[in-house]
Amino acid sequence: MASRIRVEQIARSLAALSLLAMGLSALVAPRDGFSLDHAVPQSSQANLSRRLMQREVSLHQRSEAETLLKAFARAQMTRHYWGEFAGSLPDLGLSSGSQFQATVNRDAVRTRLWLKPHHGTEAYLAEVERSGGRLRMHHCRGDRKAAGQAAEGHCPDGWQRISLK
């Protein structure tokens, strides 16, 4: 029993000494130890940093676009209830800000908002249409090259329908 306790004490002491040695070596010479930063060349780090920044900007832009698409659809549904679809964002009390080029198209049956960001590769669509006495809406996102090219009631080819709540 005493030898078992002694073996456990020795094992704990060795583990503690190992952790102490690692901590001290990091304090004394932090740049000489192994680091993931040293394993990657500087150009790859800059490229990774640039891609991460672009990704963050894209996610923020997507969030802003989806908020505007949802507000547009709801405002157009309300506006239609009182008469007809609005012909522009200012008529709805909305603004696309400086980061998007917004285009509103409407006719007696439907209205569409196309959003193209000034930077980035995604574009967005919100559509509200009257169908059988009811209003329906859908939202899409996809490659900005296909923006403005969609059959009524459908997302452009290659785009995906998104659900906004």
Side-chain angles (χ1 to χ4, degrees), residues 32-51:
D32 294 338
F34 177 74
S35 169
L36 293 177
D37 291 344
H38 295 300
V40 179
Q42 285 291 24
S43 62
S44 295
Q45 280 182 331
N47 194 15
L48 177 62
S49 179
R50 184 173 38 257
R51 285 192 321 218

Side-chain angles (χ1 to χ4, degrees), residues 15-150:
L17 282 173
S18 298
L19 289 173
L20 181 64
M22 286 178 9
L24 287 174
S25 70
L27 285 174
V28 173
R31 298 197 187 269
D32 294 338
F34 177 74
S35 169
L36 293 177
D37 291 344
H38 295 300
V40 179
Q42 285 291 24
S43 62
S44 295
Q45 280 182 331
N47 194 15
L48 177 62
S49 179
R50 184 173 38 257
R51 285 192 321 218
L52 288 173
M53 180 62 83
Q54 287 172 344
R55 177 75 175 151
E56 184 176 335
V57 167
S58 294
L59 289 175
H60 176 70
Q61 182 173 280
R62 182 181 290 174
S63 174
E64 293 291 318
E66 289 176 354
T67 299
L68 183 56
L69 294 176
K70 189 176 5 176
F72 171 81
R74 289 179 177 164
Q76 285 289 30
M77 292 175 97
T78 302
R79 181 70 184 254
H80 185 270
Y81 176 78
W82 291 106
E84 64 182 4
F85 293 124
S88 69
L89 287 179
D91 290 345
L92 297 169
L94 300 173
S95 170
S96 63
S98 61
Q99 63 180 337
F100 297 108
Q101 174 189 352
T103 306
V104 176
N105 303 40
R106 73 176 174 129
D107 58 32
V109 178
R110 81 184 36 82
T111 182
R112 287 178 159 182
L113 170 64
W114 293 96
L115 290 178
K116 283 182 168 178
H118 296 293
H119 305 287
T121 60
E122 276 188 340
Y124 308 89
L125 166 67
E127 182 176 82
V128 179
E129 68 178 325
R130 188 175 56 227
S131 175
R134 298 188 67 199
L135 289 175
R136 298 174 194 242
M137 66 178 168
H138 72 270
H139 308 92
C140 310
R141 78 170 166 248
D143 186 11
R144 70 181 288 143
K145 294 174 187 167
Q149 307 168 12

